[in-house]
Amino acid sequence: MTPRGWPFLPTNPAIARNLRDGFPSPYTLADAEAFIAISTAREPVCNYAIVHDGEVAGGIGILPGQDVHRISGEIGYWLAPEYWGRGIATRTVEAFCRFVFAETGIIHIHTGVFSYNRASARVLEKAGFTYVGSMHDCAVKCGEIIGLDYYELCKSNITAGR
């Protein structure tokens, strides 16, 4: 079943402001079609739509590590602003991490959040992630030098009930 609004075009600049520059802004139908083609061709599938009440509300994915990092993955997610503040991102991150741990060989999930994005940091904290540290003045976004706050979630913490 295809959700209403698919493919969703995340054209709101507030979305792109919190993502890497590889996420186009403005986001066009051609961008959506290219992303869907790349994502569905990948095995295993690592990127998914977030659907709320039958509507596309965002996206979530895992970038599996390679070589010595093959047991780790970097999570990324975004949610359209009209869905912010409802707990959707937290519930999605929790469920997605359980899925990744159950269905893949990944046992460690990590991510970096722009230091100004406290809302995303709170999503991770509520989803059970642990803050592991910050790097200051290590990235540039919208022409501004910024820091990143890093978080991790280990499968052993989930299975041990921590």
Side-chain angles (χ1 to χ4, degrees), residues 1 5-6 25 28 40 58 60 65 74-75 77-78 88 93 100 106:
M1 178 174 149
W6 187 257
S25 182
T28 67
T40 56
I60 192 165
E74 181 181 9
I75 191 172
Y77 55 91
W78 62 269
I88 296 166
V93 168
V100 168
I106 292 173

Side-chain angles (χ1 to χ4, degrees), residues 62-66 68-75 96-97 100-102 104-112 129-132 150-158:
I62 190 91
L63 179 62
Q66 297 179 358
V68 298
H69 300 286
R70 65 188 169 273
I71 60 171
S72 293
E74 181 181 9
I75 191 172
F96 185 70
C97 289
V100 168
F101 288 148
T104 73
I106 292 173
I107 63 170
H108 176 265
I109 299 174
H110 60 93
T111 193
F129 279 70
T130 301
Y131 170 77
V132 293
Y150 288 93
Y151 290 83
E152 70 178 359
L153 180 68
C154 296
K155 183 178 183 178
S156 59
N157 290 354
I158 300 296

Side-chain angles (χ1 to χ4, degrees), residues 6 35 39 42 44-51 56-62 76-78 92 96 99-100 103-104:
W6 187 257
F35 180 75
S39 294
R42 205 175 264 158
V45 174
C46 295
N47 296 300
Y48 299 87
I50 298 172
V51 178
V56 176
I60 192 165
I62 190 91
Y77 55 91
W78 62 269
T92 302
F96 185 70
F99 167 77
V100 168
E103 300 298 325
T104 73

